Amino acid sequence: DRYGNAVFPHYDRQGLCGFELRNYHFKGFAKGGQKGLWYSTSTPEDERLVITESAIEGLSYHALYGPEGSRYFSIAGEMNTMQRQLLEAAFLKLATSTVIVIAMNNDAGGRHLSEEIKGLVLATRRGDLTVMDKYPDGDGIDWNDVIKIGKRRER
């Protein structure tokens, strides 16, 4: 955008509903927008869904682990009612035996979100889905921090 922020569009059932904004010293959501889901391109061959707190963390997770056959969702932090509904609907549409990786920040908020998302998966009664938590090493760390810390160590 005009401030140099990376812009990640969020969608709901009607289409575009808002934007995550991210810069070196700024994290936010577009004024007047509503949080839905940011998502990466998906294919019918996807075997894994990775859910992160922010879109930039989804990109960081992909840079670190880059598994083929993965799609990514961002919730942009605490979830609203619509996001819960969107996630549950998405879980119902996943291919048989999909693995859901809940890759939240390594803090109390991330652990809370992880438990909340696990509850949504359970509510679908899809016993074929595998759910796993994945947290970055170190208290208070997110996946983007892991990338930044790694780059500092490479210098």
Side-chain angles (χ1 to χ4, degrees):
D1 70 2
R2 65 184 174 162
Y3 301 107
N5 295 313
V7 178
F8 300 95
H10 272 234
Y11 297 91
D12 62 15
R13 288 187 172 109
Q14 285 72 48
L16 183 65
C17 61
F19 302 93
E20 274 183 67
L21 303 170
R22 190 72 179 244
N23 205 324
Y24 290 104
H25 304 290
F26 176 75
K27 300 178 196 180
F29 205 83
K31 289 182 182 176
Q34 183 174 333
K35 291 194 305 180
L37 296 176
W38 168 84
Y39 52 85
S40 66
T41 302
S42 62
T43 69
E45 294 79 33
D46 289 342
E47 300 171 337
R48 185 176 299 104
L49 169 61
V50 179
I51 305 169
T52 58
E53 287 189 50
S54 73
I56 197 78
E57 290 164 13
L59 297 177
S60 295
Y61 186 94
H62 182 75
L64 291 163
Y65 299 104
E68 292 297 318
S70 293
R71 67 180 65 174
Y72 296 82
F73 283 178
S74 163
I75 57 173
E78 282 297 319
M79 292 189 291
N80 61 39
T81 300
M82 182 186 58
Q83 287 177 299
R84 290 179 191 93
Q85 293 168 354
L86 292 170
L87 283 175
E88 195 167 339
F91 297 154
L92 287 169
K93 294 177 186 175
L94 292 173
T96 303
S97 301
T98 297
V99 175
I100 299 172
V101 179
I102 305 171
M104 296 292 132
N105 299 350
N106 193 354
D107 58 21
R111 288 184 288 281
H112 169 75
L113 287 169
S114 181
E115 291 303 314
E116 194 172 354
I117 293 168
K118 283 189 238 178
L120 295 173
V121 175
L122 284 173
T124 67
R125 300 182 190 266
R126 291 270 319 259
D128 64 301
L129 301 175
T130 301
V131 180
M132 58 187 291
D133 292 316
K134 188 135 182 165
Y135 299 102
D137 291 335
D139 289 336
I141 301 293
D142 67 35
W143 295 106
N144 198 40
D145 293 332
V146 173
I147 295 285
K148 290 190 274 187
I149 291 166
K151 289 195 182 288
R152 276 186 239 133
R153 287 185 184 152
E154 290 174 7
R155 290 182 187 169

